[in-house]
């Protein structure tokens, strides 16, 4: 219970109670929290104390607000370990979420100058340009645009990508042996088109990822991803 006799401020005591209930699963993802009035009555505290608590909870991404509807528990952000090679499909399965992909665009095109430089291509080389919406339990998580050298993935089809994970196709159909991947990360905001596909507000925070995937010394994939800022956090250990 909350007590004015304790050294901790009242708002922090309430913060501790709510955060523990979230951690223990009493309040689950997307559950609506009690109203300000209900918190005031249950713990005999002021509305100002409750509001201060909500500010701190929101600041730490534990809750989110819906205008006119109340306060809800934030979904847990997916934590990605950066020390190991990974795929979206495999990582979602590890946390018991069902990964799916929706192909927004699939075409064979002449490589633009930037893509030629990224993939070390010749001027007349073509690439597969593939835009996919990545979902977990049917919730949009990430928007990916991938460029693949056509000479390495000859006769790749949209149906194959609809039916199977891309890296599984690489291994099974094209005998790819992955050597390494390089990724860069930077903060960005979501534009209007991305907001519609990812089901978030325009200008919401996001993470921009660029990946180069290698087979021996050859670059076989260049992918640009927009990951929802409320769904991902990245983890690395420095030794």
């Amino acid at each position: 219970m909350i007590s004015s006799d304790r050294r901790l401020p009242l708002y922090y005591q309430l913060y501790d109670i709510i955060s523990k209930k979230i951690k223990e699963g009493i309040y689950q993802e997307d559950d609506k929290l009690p109203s300000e009035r209900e918190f005031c009555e249950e713990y005999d505290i002021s509305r100002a104390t409750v509001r201060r608590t909500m500010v701190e909870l929101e600041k730490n991404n534990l809750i989110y607000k819906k205008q006119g509807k109340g306060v809800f528990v934030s979904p847990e952000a997916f934590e990605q370990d950066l020390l190991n090679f990974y795929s979206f499909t495999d990582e979602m399965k590890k946390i018991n979420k069902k990964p799916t992909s929706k192909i927004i665009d699939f075409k064979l095109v002449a490589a633009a100058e930037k893509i030629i430089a990224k993939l070390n291509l010749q001027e007349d080389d073509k690439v597969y340009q593939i835009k996919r919406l990545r979902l977990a339990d049917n919730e949009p998580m990430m928007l990916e645009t991938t460029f693949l050298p056509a000479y390495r993935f000859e006769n790749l089809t949209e149906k194959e990508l609809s039916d199977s994970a891309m890296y599984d196709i690489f291994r099974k159909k094209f005998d790819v042996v992955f050597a390494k991947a390089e990724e860069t990360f930077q903060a960005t905001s979501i534009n209007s088109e991305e907001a519609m596909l990812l089901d978030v507000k325009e200008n919401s925070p996001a993470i921009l990822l660029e990946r180069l995937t290698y087979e021996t010394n050859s670059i076989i994939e260049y992918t640009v991803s927009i990951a929802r800022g409320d769904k991902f956090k990245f983890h690395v250990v420095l030794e």
Side-chain angles (χ1 to χ4, degrees), residues 140-177:
M141 301 282 282
M142 179 184 293
L143 186 63
E144 292 184 346
T145 304
T146 296
F147 300 90
L148 307 172
Y151 71 82
R152 182 63 183 87
F153 298 102
E154 190 173 355
N155 298 321
L156 177 67
T157 68
E158 183 174 347
K159 185 178 185 308
E160 287 173 320
L161 285 172
S162 297
D163 294 342
S164 303
M166 186 170 71
Y167 284 3
D168 285 346
I169 297 170
F170 286 1
R171 294 186 185 97
K172 295 174 182 177
K173 180 177 179 178
F174 297 100
D175 299 319
V176 168
V177 178

Side-chain angles (χ1 to χ4, degrees), residues 167-226:
Y167 284 3
D168 285 346
I169 297 170
F170 286 1
R171 294 186 185 97
K172 295 174 182 177
K173 180 177 179 178
F174 297 100
D175 299 319
V176 168
V177 178
F178 297 107
K180 66 176 181 178
E182 295 178 359
E183 286 194 335
T184 58
F185 306 80
Q186 68 182 76
T188 188
S189 58
I190 291 174
N191 65 32
S192 57
E193 179 188 357
E194 294 160 351
M196 181 180 65
L197 292 168
L198 290 169
D199 193 25
V200 295
K201 293 181 180 178
E202 186 177 356
N203 295 320
S204 295
I207 303 168
L208 173 64
L209 303 90
E210 290 188 79
R211 171 182 280 208
L212 293 172
T213 304
Y214 290 77
E215 178 185 39
T216 315
N217 294 320
S218 299
I219 302 172
I220 58 169
E221 175 204 2
Y222 171 55
T223 293
V224 180
S225 303
I226 301 293

Side-chain angles (χ1 to χ4, degrees), residues 100-153:
T100 52
S101 296
K102 179 180 178 182
I103 298 179
I104 308 298
D105 192 25
F106 179 96
K107 55 191 175 186
L108 184 63
V109 297
E113 187 175 337
K114 177 183 176 180
I115 306 306
I116 289 172
K118 290 287 185 181
L119 293 172
N120 293 330
L121 300 176
Q122 300 299 316
E123 188 174 338
D124 296 329
D125 284 343
K126 291 188 175 183
V127 294
Y128 289 102
Q129 179 177 313
I130 305 155
K131 180 179 284 189
R132 297 183 297 167
L133 181 64
R134 314 304 300 273
L135 305 98
D137 290 346
N138 293 317
E139 184 174 19
M141 301 282 282
M142 179 184 293
L143 186 63
E144 292 184 346
T145 304
T146 296
F147 300 90
L148 307 172
Y151 71 82
R152 182 63 183 87
F153 298 102

